Amino acid sequence: MGTCERPFAWSEIHHLIPWARGGDTDLDAIPLCSWHHHRAHDPRWHLTQHPLRGWELRARERRSRRPGRPQG
Ligand SMILES: [Zn+2]
Ligand SMILES: [Zn+2]
């Protein structure tokens, strides 16, 4: 069921493939709570589907900042 700890009853169905591209099957639909669902649609986050372990949501890496560099 993925990494979400919310009760299943709270979940919303998220389609990995938009309907516009023909993703109207059960295979691409996964239950997410609204917290994870919002992030699944956020370009800063990346949702990966695992065949056996459900899904995983990760924040994309940012390249804009370097850690620990003093200015000047
Ligand atoms: Zn969705
Ligand atoms: Zn969740």
Side-chain angles (χ1 to χ4, degrees):
M1 288 304 297
T3 55
C4 185
E5 297 178 0
R6 302 285 180 131
F8 182 79
W10 292 13
S11 54
E12 305 166 0
I13 298 300
H14 172 67
H15 286 265
L16 296 171
I17 307 170
W19 278 16
R21 281 195 274 153
D24 192 16
T25 66
D26 288 340
L27 291 176
D28 78 318
I30 53 177
L32 299 173
C33 77
S34 55
W35 191 91
H36 276 108
H37 197 183
H38 276 92
R39 275 145 193 84
H41 288 267
D42 191 325
R44 290 171 297 180
W45 292 74
H46 183 65
L47 184 71
T48 312
Q49 189 182 29
H50 297 284
L52 299 178
R53 291 187 295 141
W55 50 269
E56 184 179 19
L57 191 67
R58 287 185 180 184
R60 293 186 192 274
E61 293 185 15
R62 297 178 184 177
R63 297 179 184 177
S64 57
R65 285 190 179 186
R66 297 181 185 174
R69 275 261 172 146
Q71 290 184 345

